[in-house]
Amino acid sequence: SQQGEEDPQALSIQEGENATMNCSYKTSINNLQWYRQNSGRGLVHLILIRSNEREKHSGRLRVTLDTSKKSSSLLITASRAADTASYFCATDANTGGFKTIFGAGTRLFVKA
Amino acid sequence: GAGVSQSPRYKVAKRGQDVALRCDPISGHVSLFWYQQALGQGPEFLTYFQNEAQLDKSGLPSDRFFAERPEGSVSTLKIQRTQQEDSAVYLCASSRIWDRGSYEQYFGPGTRLTVT
């Protein structure tokens, strides 16, 4: 019943390469967030983009949002082995409730 | 200054037993969320508290699931008569306030529940 869908489901790249993950959602949103989850640090917030923003940067992260297509992308530049993790997008349902909806995630493996 | 803590970290229950999972949010955080995460999936929303008020319980899968936050701080998720399908990691998250999802959530390490 999750509304977010990430693709690809899994991604394997060499250290130093860029990684791009995509997220699609179904209903209108106020905000979209990206989280990272690995066994060492649990689920950690990376970046938030509001519905009236189109692009946002944070360090090696670049997020874009296209509300007309109901999609977002997360780009990690110059990847490192430490970036190996699962990445999830999360949206508020914008239905007046308080639910945060996560996608199924993209599993990124960065080879040293 | 500590983060969100959860206990126990691991719980094994026999089918039919009741379990109680505890969450200590970051001090001063108004909002508290519970999620259920199955293996290989993203977290699924269970319920939301603003201080002691449970404002959204639309994600609770059945009436066997019950959550409380009586003093607006520590929260407990209780599962009665556990079933095998309840096996999952239960995550707790807190944030400063809810404003249409505009504040990041800080997650605890989770409780891994295994029902045998």
Side-chain angles (χ1 to χ4, degrees), chain A residues 2 31 33 35 37 100 107, chain B residues 37 40 42 44 56 100-101 105:
Chain A
Q2 293 169 339
N31 307 287
Q33 302 185 48
Y35 285 82
Q37 185 176 42
T100 302
R107 280 138 199 85
Chain B
Q37 186 174 25
E44 287 226 32
D56 190 335
R100 297 176 299 167
Q105 296 178 36

Side-chain angles (χ1 to χ4, degrees), chain A residues 34-38 41-46, chain B residues 104-105 107:
Chain A
W34 284 90
Y35 285 82
R36 178 182 64 209
Q37 185 176 42
N38 59 33
R41 292 197 59 199
L43 203 64
V44 174
H45 179 266
L46 295 176
Chain B
E104 67 180 277
Q105 296 178 36
F107 281 81

Side-chain angles (χ1 to χ4, degrees), chain B residues 1-68:
Chain B
V4 178
S5 61
Q6 293 186 244
S7 61
R9 293 291 311 277
Y10 303 91
K11 176 69 180 178
V12 178
K14 289 193 190 318
R15 192 160 50 111
Q17 281 185 333
D18 298 347
V19 298
L21 313 179
R22 176 187 169 106
C23 172
D24 282 83
I26 292 172
S27 178
H29 276 193
V30 168
S31 296
L32 186 145
F33 302 79
W34 282 100
Y35 295 89
Q36 180 189 60
Q37 186 174 25
L39 190 63
Q41 297 296 314
E44 287 226 32
F45 172 86
L46 293 177
T47 188
Y48 167 77
F49 288 86
Q50 191 168 97
N51 294 307
E52 69 279 2
Q54 188 175 20
L55 300 184
D56 190 335
K57 50 183 180 179
S58 60
L60 295 176
S62 77
D63 59 8
R64 297 186 296 103
F65 286 71
F66 172 76
E68 60 184 5

Side-chain angles (χ1 to χ4, degrees), chain A residues 3 25-29 70 91-95 101:
Chain A
Q3 93 160 329
Y25 55 91
K26 295 176 184 164
T27 63
S28 64
I29 60 171
K70 293 186 169 59
T91 59
D92 65 293
N94 196 22
T95 56
I101 301 173

Side-chain angles (χ1 to χ4, degrees), chain A residues 10-69:
Chain A
L11 182 60
S12 181
I13 59 174
Q14 290 291 139
E15 210 168 28
E17 293 181 339
N18 296 342
T20 299
M21 289 159 266
N22 303 295
C23 164
S24 60
Y25 55 91
K26 295 176 184 164
T27 63
S28 64
I29 60 171
N30 293 305
N31 307 287
L32 184 143
Q33 302 185 48
W34 284 90
Y35 285 82
R36 178 182 64 209
Q37 185 176 42
N38 59 33
S39 57
R41 292 197 59 199
L43 203 64
V44 174
H45 179 266
L46 295 176
I47 196 166
L48 179 150
I49 187 165
R50 301 186 189 281
S51 58
N52 61 354
E53 297 176 309
R54 292 296 166 259
E55 188 171 313
K56 201 160 183 180
H57 296 253
S58 176
R60 293 184 296 112
L61 305 180
R62 172 177 169 255
V63 169
T64 62
L65 179 64
D66 186 336
T67 52
S68 67
K69 295 181 179 176

